[in-house]
Amino acid sequence: MNSDLSPLIISIKTSLASTIITFFLGIFTAWFMTYRKRRYEGLLDAIFTLPMVLPPTVLGFFLLLILGKNGPIGRLLYEFNIKIIFSWSATVIAAAVVSFPLMYKTTKGAFEQIDNNILNAARTLGVSEWRIFWTITLQLAWPGVASGTILAFARALGEFGATLMIAGSIPGKTQTIPLAIFFAVESGDINKALYWVISITIISFTVIILTNIWTNYQKKLISSGGTKIK
C-alpha cells in the first residue's frame, strides 16, 4: 500500500480545476463558433482543435515559450513576481490546454444538432438571446455538454507530456498520478507503478459510468418533457 497519496490529491485537484476552466471556456467558444460565425472561421476552429492532435510535449514546449521567464506572458508575470513554470498552476494550465478541444468539439457538435426552427420560434416570441441560450440551447445540448465535460476531466486526469514540460515532477507539488507512474517504472518500483495504474483506472472508469447514467437520465427528461420557455 502506498502511503503517499499526494499524486492522487494533486491529480484530482488539477483535473477538477482544469475541467471548470474548460467547461465555461469550451461552452462559450462552441456557442460563438456555432451562432456567431465570423471571418476566418476555419482557421479559428483549427486553432481551437490543434491541441487535440499535437503531441503533448509539443504543447508543453509552446507553453514553456509563452509562460517561461523570457516568454511574452511569463516576462510580464515576472514583473509582478508571479512564477507559473514548475508550480501547481502550471499543471492546471497544461491539463486545461490539452483537454479544451474535447470540451469544445463535443459541445459544438451538440449545438449544431439543435433545430434552428426552435430557436427562431423563441425569437419571434420576443425571448432574449440570453434566455434562449439558458432555457433552450443549453438544455437541449446538455447531454453533449455533459459528455464533453467528462471527456475533458478524463483527459486532464491522464495528462503527462505537457505537465512534465512546464510543471516538472515535484513530489507533493506537481507530481500527478501519470508522472508518479512514469518515475516509479523508471526507478524499478513496479509495485508502486501498478498501484497508481489501478487507482487511475478505477477513478476514470467510475467517472465514466456515473456520467453515462447522468447523461441517459438527462436524455430521458428531454425526450419526455421537452423544453419549455419560461
Side-chain angles (χ1 to χ4, degrees), residues 23-158:
F23 177 82
F24 292 102
L25 189 60
I27 289 177
F28 172 78
T29 306
W31 174 83
F32 178 83
M33 292 296 292
T34 304
Y35 300 109
R36 292 291 184 271
K37 296 180 180 180
R38 296 291 188 271
R39 294 179 61 185
Y40 312 114
E41 178 185 351
L43 177 61
L44 289 174
D45 185 74
I47 293 174
F48 295 144
T49 311
L50 190 61
M52 187 166 57
V53 296
L54 281 179
T57 50
V58 175
L59 291 175
F61 180 75
F62 282 136
L63 290 174
L64 196 61
L65 291 179
I66 296 172
L67 301 175
K69 188 174 182 180
N70 296 320
I73 297 179
R75 188 185 302 113
L76 178 63
L77 293 176
Y78 266 85
E79 293 293 329
F80 297 94
N81 200 28
I82 300 175
K83 182 180 179 181
I84 298 295
I85 301 300
F86 300 118
S87 66
W88 179 73
S89 298
T91 66
V92 176
I93 293 173
V97 169
V98 299
S99 61
F100 168 80
L102 292 172
M103 183 68 195
Y104 161 67
K105 293 297 287 186
T106 306
T107 304
K108 185 172 182 288
F111 285 162
E112 291 173 343
Q113 294 300 315
I114 298 175
D115 188 352
N116 283 329
N117 291 326
I118 299 176
L119 305 182
N120 291 331
R123 293 186 181 102
T124 60
L125 295 175
V127 181
S128 66
E129 291 294 330
W130 182 253
R131 291 184 63 189
I132 288 175
F133 173 76
W134 283 106
T135 60
I136 302 178
T137 306
L138 196 58
Q139 287 189 33
L140 293 176
W142 184 248
V145 173
S147 297
T149 302
I150 187 55
L151 288 174
F153 178 86
R155 182 65 186 86
L157 190 65

Side-chain angles (χ1 to χ4, degrees), residues 193-204:
L194 181 60
Y195 170 81
W196 287 122
V197 167
I198 294 175
S199 298
I200 196 171
T201 301
I202 292 175
I203 295 172
S204 300

